[in-house]
Amino acid sequence: MAKGTDTSFGAPKGTRDILPPESWVWQEVVGYAMDSFALAGYAPIETPMFEHTEVFERGVGSTSEVVGKQMYTFDDRGDRSLTLRPEGTAPVVRAVLEHNLHRGALPVKLSYEGPMFRQERPQKGRYRQFYQLGIEAIGSDHPAVDAEVIEIAIRFYAGIGLDTSLKINSIGHVDESCRLGYAKVLVGFLRDHTAELAAEDRERIDTNPMRTFDSKEKRTQEVMRAAPLITDHLCDSCRDHYASVKGHLDAVGITCEEEPRLVRGLDYYTRTAFEFVAGGLGSQDAVGGGGRYDGLAEVLGGPHLPGIGFALGLDRIMLSLGERQAATPGPVVAYIVALGDAAERRAFPLATSLRAAGIGAEFDVMGRGMKGQMKDADRSGARYAVIIGDEELATGEATVKDLTSGDQERCPLDRLEERLKR
Ligand code: AMP
């Protein structure tokens, strides 16, 4: 359990509470993200926190680590196997198919935000309940959509003041002429070097050979430096698609680092795969990633519907923003300091009328004296203390004190809203 009052309960391992002041910034970042996604026509969607386990087994793929080792799967009281969502894309595609959104105008463009669940080994920037911001564009394989999706993420990061770099790759599509052919070449290479690989990576040769590129083991990484690369084995159409994506990125001034060893953790990815990396985060430095999933809709029982999207890791984004969090004030503008019985009775109605006018307001409910109320006003983050006492009430005025500059002036109560809005 964490340090603090011993209540005998702590949040479960790998989960955490998002407390003020961080939670203010959190809320702002989420709002800003959803607004920036909306600027490109992505509409919000909410899907359940849990799905039928099959959605992920089929969608994300049973050879992926997420499905094989990390899912929170349980039987409910009706003996149905359900799983807390480990990611957002398969649920969104499931919802699109279920509600026939793909029968309307294409592409279907959707955005989401919320918690995901994976039973990973917790460490800084890696949690068991973590939060993602995502978009999905479903129904087009046009390379400009790939570039659009990437550009939206980059504009969002820049807007919140986060420096990131973009790594990109194409992992081809599932066909003998493309990735399946490449996988055979790769497996041949891995077999030739089995003895040099770390033990756990040997197991992956047959199930998920491309994931070997993601190994954290030094000896495996050493071997992979000489491994054949997917980009040398793409079919013509995937190669053209990749070139075109890069062309579209170039047209909007986005530079990317081509990373032919970039593979993604979820099995559904095809063609474009990308990742955003930020500094100062140690080993968990990917603040977002995504890619195409041209076969996902079919795997989930739908028609061929190529799609692309990203998921940005909110927890890591917040870690990267770091220090800034403590400095962000909440939305309270005015703190009503009431002195004397009559004024105390006015404090609550005054606060409610300010709030009704859209001005954040707080007042004392702890029976504090003047000094205590002024201290609490500082705690509240309010810009102004609105002081009311017998004298002020007699003249229908309040004293408005600017808590930053210390300046104060009298203001008629009926002009208070106008004054505070200024
Ligand atoms: P993925 O869904 O695995 O492609 O991950 C997309 C992004 O979500 C990553 O780049 C991370 O920023 C974030 N993320 C993934 N897993 C975790 C986790 N266990 N804890 C915190 N953030 C995560």
Side-chain angles (χ1 to χ4, degrees), residues 87 118 120 125-128 130 132 264 266 269 286-289 311-313 315-316:
E87 61 93 54
R118 294 181 197 169
E120 297 194 75
R126 200 206 275 154
Y127 309 100
R128 291 181 169 180
F130 59 98
Q132 288 186 334
R264 306 270 308 135
L266 315 176
Y269 285 115
V287 289
L312 315 183
D315 309 77
R316 292 183 196 174

Tab-separated table of all heavy atoms in Angstrom, residues 87 118 120 125-128 130 132 264 266 269 286-289 311-313 315-316, ligand 1:
chain	number	residue	atom	x	y	z
A	87	GLU	N	-7.836	-2.441	-25.454
A	87	GLU	CA	-7.556	-1.445	-26.484
A	87	GLU	C	-8.888	-1.014	-27.089
A	87	GLU	O	-9.927	-1.645	-26.839
A	87	GLU	CB	-6.603	-2.019	-27.544
A	87	GLU	CG	-7.123	-3.235	-28.284
A	87	GLU	CD	-7.823	-2.862	-29.569
A	87	GLU	OE1	-7.217	-2.157	-30.378
A	87	GLU	OE2	-8.992	-3.275	-29.753
A	118	ARG	N	-4.774	-3.744	-19.084
A	118	ARG	CA	-3.858	-4.833	-19.461
A	118	ARG	C	-3.074	-5.224	-18.224
A	118	ARG	O	-2.532	-4.351	-17.538
A	118	ARG	CB	-2.852	-4.371	-20.540
A	118	ARG	CG	-3.495	-4.041	-21.858
A	118	ARG	CD	-2.469	-3.606	-22.905
A	118	ARG	NE	-3.139	-2.941	-24.000
A	118	ARG	CZ	-2.518	-2.264	-24.975
A	118	ARG	NH1	-1.193	-2.189	-24.979
A	118	ARG	NH2	-3.212	-1.692	-25.932
A	120	GLU	N	-0.110	-5.898	-17.156
A	120	GLU	CA	1.318	-5.842	-17.451
A	120	GLU	C	2.069	-5.668	-16.141
A	120	GLU	O	1.479	-5.344	-15.116
A	120	GLU	CB	1.621	-4.645	-18.351
A	120	GLU	CG	0.950	-4.725	-19.699
A	120	GLU	CD	1.537	-3.715	-20.673
A	120	GLU	OE1	2.649	-3.967	-21.152
A	120	GLU	OE2	0.886	-2.694	-20.940
A	125	GLY	N	5.072	4.873	-16.090
A	125	GLY	CA	4.516	4.993	-17.433
A	125	GLY	C	3.844	3.726	-17.940
A	125	GLY	O	3.409	3.671	-19.082
A	126	ARG	N	3.784	2.702	-17.090
A	126	ARG	CA	3.084	1.486	-17.515
A	126	ARG	C	2.151	1.030	-16.401
A	126	ARG	O	2.603	0.735	-15.293
A	126	ARG	CB	4.081	0.393	-17.852
A	126	ARG	CG	3.432	-0.677	-18.746
A	126	ARG	CD	4.091	-1.998	-18.591
A	126	ARG	NE	5.269	-2.173	-19.415
A	126	ARG	CZ	6.249	-3.001	-19.097
A	126	ARG	NH1	6.211	-3.672	-17.968
A	126	ARG	NH2	7.280	-3.142	-19.898
A	127	TYR	N	0.880	1.038	-16.701
A	127	TYR	CA	-0.125	0.746	-15.684
A	127	TYR	C	-1.052	-0.361	-16.165
A	127	TYR	O	-1.072	-0.709	-17.337
A	127	TYR	CB	-0.937	2.014	-15.370
A	127	TYR	CG	-0.052	3.190	-15.073
A	127	TYR	CD1	0.201	4.159	-16.044
A	127	TYR	CD2	0.593	3.300	-13.843
A	127	TYR	CE1	1.061	5.218	-15.788
A	127	TYR	CE2	1.449	4.357	-13.576
A	127	TYR	CZ	1.685	5.312	-14.557
A	127	TYR	OH	2.543	6.349	-14.310
A	128	ARG	N	-1.829	-0.869	-15.245
A	128	ARG	CA	-2.793	-1.925	-15.605
A	128	ARG	C	-4.119	-1.317	-16.025
A	128	ARG	O	-4.846	-1.887	-16.824
A	128	ARG	CB	-2.941	-2.889	-14.435
A	128	ARG	CG	-1.658	-3.669	-14.257
A	128	ARG	CD	-1.696	-4.662	-13.139
A	128	ARG	NE	-0.519	-5.510	-13.232
A	128	ARG	CZ	-0.247	-6.489	-12.401
A	128	ARG	NH1	-1.071	-6.752	-11.394
A	128	ARG	NH2	0.829	-7.202	-12.557
A	130	PHE	N	-4.917	2.118	-17.815
A	130	PHE	CA	-4.304	3.308	-18.390
A	130	PHE	C	-5.310	3.920	-19.349
A	130	PHE	O	-6.334	3.309	-19.662
A	130	PHE	CB	-2.981	2.958	-19.094
A	130	PHE	CG	-3.133	1.957	-20.198
A	130	PHE	CD1	-3.224	2.373	-21.528
A	130	PHE	CD2	-3.207	0.602	-19.919
A	130	PHE	CE1	-3.379	1.447	-22.557
A	130	PHE	CE2	-3.366	-0.324	-20.954
A	130	PHE	CZ	-3.453	0.094	-22.260
A	132	GLN	N	-6.390	6.001	-22.899
A	132	GLN	CA	-6.011	6.313	-24.280
A	132	GLN	C	-6.969	7.311	-24.905
A	132	GLN	O	-8.165	7.341	-24.592
A	132	GLN	CB	-6.001	5.037	-25.128
A	132	GLN	CG	-4.836	4.108	-24.799
A	132	GLN	CD	-4.750	2.915	-25.739
A	132	GLN	OE1	-5.743	2.486	-26.309
A	132	GLN	NE2	-3.542	2.374	-25.898
A	264	ARG	N	4.227	-3.552	-34.464
A	264	ARG	CA	3.295	-3.132	-33.421
A	264	ARG	C	2.801	-4.354	-32.661
A	264	ARG	O	2.813	-5.463	-33.169
A	264	ARG	CB	2.123	-2.371	-34.042
A	264	ARG	CG	2.548	-1.209	-34.925
A	264	ARG	CD	2.678	0.102	-34.188
A	264	ARG	NE	1.493	0.417	-33.429
A	264	ARG	CZ	1.503	0.866	-32.174
A	264	ARG	NH1	2.610	1.053	-31.550
A	264	ARG	NH2	0.382	1.134	-31.559
A	266	LEU	N	-0.131	-5.365	-31.708
A	266	LEU	CA	-1.431	-5.978	-31.956
A	266	LEU	C	-1.420	-6.582	-33.360
A	266	LEU	O	-0.908	-5.986	-34.298
A	266	LEU	CB	-2.536	-4.920	-31.802
A	266	LEU	CG	-2.382	-4.028	-30.554
A	266	LEU	CD1	-3.453	-2.948	-30.516
A	266	LEU	CD2	-2.433	-4.855	-29.274
A	269	TYR	N	-2.589	-5.099	-37.373
A	269	TYR	CA	-2.003	-4.046	-38.199
A	269	TYR	C	-1.564	-4.523	-39.581
A	269	TYR	O	-1.061	-5.636	-39.749
A	269	TYR	CB	-0.827	-3.380	-37.478
A	269	TYR	CG	-1.285	-2.450	-36.385
A	269	TYR	CD1	-1.007	-2.704	-35.051
A	269	TYR	CD2	-2.028	-1.308	-36.695
A	269	TYR	CE1	-1.449	-1.861	-34.054
A	269	TYR	CE2	-2.469	-0.456	-35.700
A	269	TYR	CZ	-2.181	-0.729	-34.387
A	269	TYR	OH	-2.623	0.109	-33.398
A	286	ALA	N	7.105	5.652	-25.594
A	286	ALA	CA	6.111	5.779	-26.670
A	286	ALA	C	4.867	6.442	-26.089
A	286	ALA	O	4.236	5.911	-25.182
A	286	ALA	CB	5.770	4.411	-27.239
A	287	VAL	N	4.567	7.630	-26.576
A	287	VAL	CA	3.375	8.334	-26.062
A	287	VAL	C	2.168	8.101	-26.963
A	287	VAL	O	1.095	8.625	-26.695
A	287	VAL	CB	3.624	9.852	-25.875
A	287	VAL	CG1	4.560	10.098	-24.701
A	287	VAL	CG2	4.165	10.481	-27.147
A	288	GLY	N	2.356	7.320	-28.007
A	288	GLY	CA	1.214	7.017	-28.860
A	288	GLY	C	1.648	6.167	-30.026
A	288	GLY	O	2.841	6.057	-30.326
A	289	GLY	N	0.683	5.549	-30.658
A	289	GLY	CA	1.010	4.731	-31.819
A	289	GLY	C	-0.254	4.349	-32.547
A	289	GLY	O	-1.367	4.562	-32.058
A	311	ALA	N	-3.837	5.405	-31.075
A	311	ALA	CA	-4.175	5.516	-29.657
A	311	ALA	C	-3.015	6.228	-28.982
A	311	ALA	O	-1.857	5.824	-29.131
A	311	ALA	CB	-4.378	4.134	-29.046
A	312	LEU	N	-3.325	7.312	-28.299
A	312	LEU	CA	-2.289	8.078	-27.604
A	312	LEU	C	-2.407	7.774	-26.112
A	312	LEU	O	-3.519	7.717	-25.570
A	312	LEU	CB	-2.458	9.571	-27.863
A	312	LEU	CG	-2.734	9.980	-29.326
A	312	LEU	CD1	-2.795	11.501	-29.454
A	312	LEU	CD2	-1.664	9.427	-30.259
A	313	GLY	N	-1.286	7.576	-25.472
A	313	GLY	CA	-1.280	7.192	-24.056
A	313	GLY	C	-1.330	8.412	-23.152
A	313	GLY	O	-0.334	9.095	-22.959
A	315	ASP	N	-1.631	8.714	-19.907
A	315	ASP	CA	-0.801	8.684	-18.687
A	315	ASP	C	0.622	9.167	-18.980
A	315	ASP	O	1.209	9.937	-18.219
A	315	ASP	CB	-0.738	7.255	-18.129
A	315	ASP	CG	-2.118	6.659	-17.980
A	315	ASP	OD1	-2.700	6.240	-19.006
A	315	ASP	OD2	-2.632	6.626	-16.853
A	316	ARG	N	1.156	8.695	-20.100
A	316	ARG	CA	2.535	9.083	-20.453
A	316	ARG	C	2.598	10.530	-20.913
A	316	ARG	O	3.580	11.228	-20.683
A	316	ARG	CB	3.079	8.150	-21.532
A	316	ARG	CG	3.275	6.759	-20.984
A	316	ARG	CD	3.876	5.843	-22.012
A	316	ARG	NE	3.673	4.471	-21.564
A	316	ARG	CZ	3.978	3.408	-22.279
A	316	ARG	NH1	4.521	3.556	-23.468
A	316	ARG	NH2	3.779	2.202	-21.806
B	1	AMP	P1	-0.979	0.299	-28.061
B	1	AMP	O1	-2.462	0.247	-27.840
B	1	AMP	O2	-0.250	-0.836	-27.398
B	1	AMP	O3	-0.612	0.517	-29.486
B	1	AMP	O4	-0.455	1.574	-27.276
B	1	AMP	C1	-0.687	2.899	-27.674
B	1	AMP	C2	-0.168	3.827	-26.603
B	1	AMP	O5	-0.874	3.599	-25.364
B	1	AMP	C3	1.287	3.604	-26.232
B	1	AMP	O6	2.133	4.333	-27.092
B	1	AMP	C4	1.345	4.119	-24.811
B	1	AMP	O7	1.503	5.526	-24.807
B	1	AMP	C5	-0.017	3.777	-24.271
B	1	AMP	N1	0.024	2.548	-23.455
B	1	AMP	C6	-0.038	1.268	-23.895
B	1	AMP	N2	0.011	0.404	-22.864
B	1	AMP	C7	0.121	1.151	-21.739
B	1	AMP	C8	0.220	0.861	-20.336
B	1	AMP	N3	0.194	-0.387	-19.878
B	1	AMP	N4	0.320	1.895	-19.466
B	1	AMP	C9	0.333	3.174	-19.915
B	1	AMP	N5	0.240	3.513	-21.214
B	1	AMP	C10	0.148	2.522	-22.117
